[in-house]
Each structure stands twice: as C-alpha cells, then as structure tokens.
Amino acid sequence: MSENNPNYGRIRSFSRRGSRLGDKYAEVMAEFGDQYVIDYPQGEAQTTIADDAHINLTKEFGRPGPLVVEIGPGSGEQTMAAALARPEWNFLALEAWSPGVARCVNAAVREGVRNVRIMEVDAAQALPIIFRDGPDANPRARELWTFFPDPWRKKRHHKRRLVSDDFAATAALVLQMGGIWRMATDWADYAWQMRDVVQNSPYFSNPFSSKNPDPADQGQYQGGFADRWSGRVMTRFEKRGIEAGRKIYDVEAIRVSG
C-alpha cells in the first residue's frame, strides 16, 4: 500500500463488471479514444493512478477554461448535454468501467463535442492526485457532479458508498471557493446520508438547509434537500428510479473555507 495516498487499498465505491466492448465501441475507441481519453501512469491497483503522476488539464483540453468534474457519467447524457450548452467550459468525466468510457466517447463523437475529456479511473483515489497542491497545480473546478452513484442498497454495503465524510474532504480539494458540489439519488437513505455529510463538513455549506423536509427522514438532520437543478438532464438512471416509484432527491453544497 502506498504511504502517500491513503485511498490505496480502500473499499471501492464501485463494482467491476465485464469489460468486453463489442465491435461498435471497439471501433469508436480505436479511432477516437486518443482524442477524448486521458492516459495516465498506472498505480498499484486496477484503475488507480500513480502517486507521482501529474495530469495537466489545461494541456489535455488544449485551453484554459471553467472546469466541471463529473464522477460516474454513465453513457454520457449529462456530460454531453452540458458540454453542448457551455462550449466555453471544460468537462472532465471520471468512469471506472471500460464500457462506460467507450459509451461516453461514442456520445462525444455523436454529438460533436470537443470540450470533454474522460479518464478510466477510480475517482476517489485519483482526484487527490489530479488536484494536489503545488506550483503546477490544476485549476480547481467550478462544479463537481455526483449524480445517481451506486447506492449499495444493503446496509452492510453502505460503507462502500462514494459520498461519505472522508470523500467530502476530497470534494473540497477539487472545488474552488464558492464552487458547487451537486448530487442526486433515487435512494432515500443515501439522500439522507448525502445531506448529513454536507451538514457535518467544515468545507461546505448547504444553501437549502432545513428546506424541503422528507417526512420519512431517518438521518441526523431534517430537510436540507435542494430543488431539482435545471441543468440536470433526465438520464436513464433517473428514469429507472421514477419508474420504480422512488423519489428523486437533489443535494447541493457550496465550498467554503475550512
């Protein structure tokens, strides 16, 4: 285990699945992968980045610009819609599943966007390295998106959930002061956990504190759920939740000093 990055050896917030791409996506990756996918020196485990790696995001995008980081973009619906709406912004998507990366590249090619880059990497482990402090530090993001992360539904698996008190410190490292961490989930107990993480973090404030209470709330606090953000598109993950009769929760956190 690396002594420099405590996220090596941690319990991962995602599960590895089959990575066979099929002919369609294999062809897309062969032709366009180099344009969209950021390569990096491998770390000590699969989908981890070396502790001493330096990713120059300005160079990778070919320009400076306001930055958004999305964790778990799925098939890229949200990423591509936002990239088209904000062509002057840069969008970095972190996806740990090879077919997910290929689908995002395919979506970028289909939509003709040029302001998206994708990394096949464990976000929790990689983000502290990508956004480490120093003279050559990357510019901090204006927004961080964690939309419909794996809920790890069984209680004994809740420790695998990405949004946690420890990850809040990583989220703070990614964001500039005043930056926004946007989250959404269709699992009530994960929503309560997200809200509690924000409320308990010295790095964030909740502009919706005590608002939009959930009568079933079993978390530490009451309310604190955001109105649905107008910039969040309806993805297949949200549709599945709605079709299953689940409520959609949004949580918003503002980066403050701490």
Side-chain angles (χ1 to χ4, degrees), residues 139-150:
R140 275 19 182 193
R142 290 198 185 181
E143 297 191 7
L144 173 66
W145 298 345
T146 312
F147 296 144
F148 301 94
D150 193 327

Side-chain angles (χ1 to χ4, degrees), residues 17-28:
R17 289 164 283 180
S19 59
R20 297 180 66 180
L21 299 181
D23 291 344
K24 172 186 175 181
Y25 292 119
E27 290 174 4
V28 168

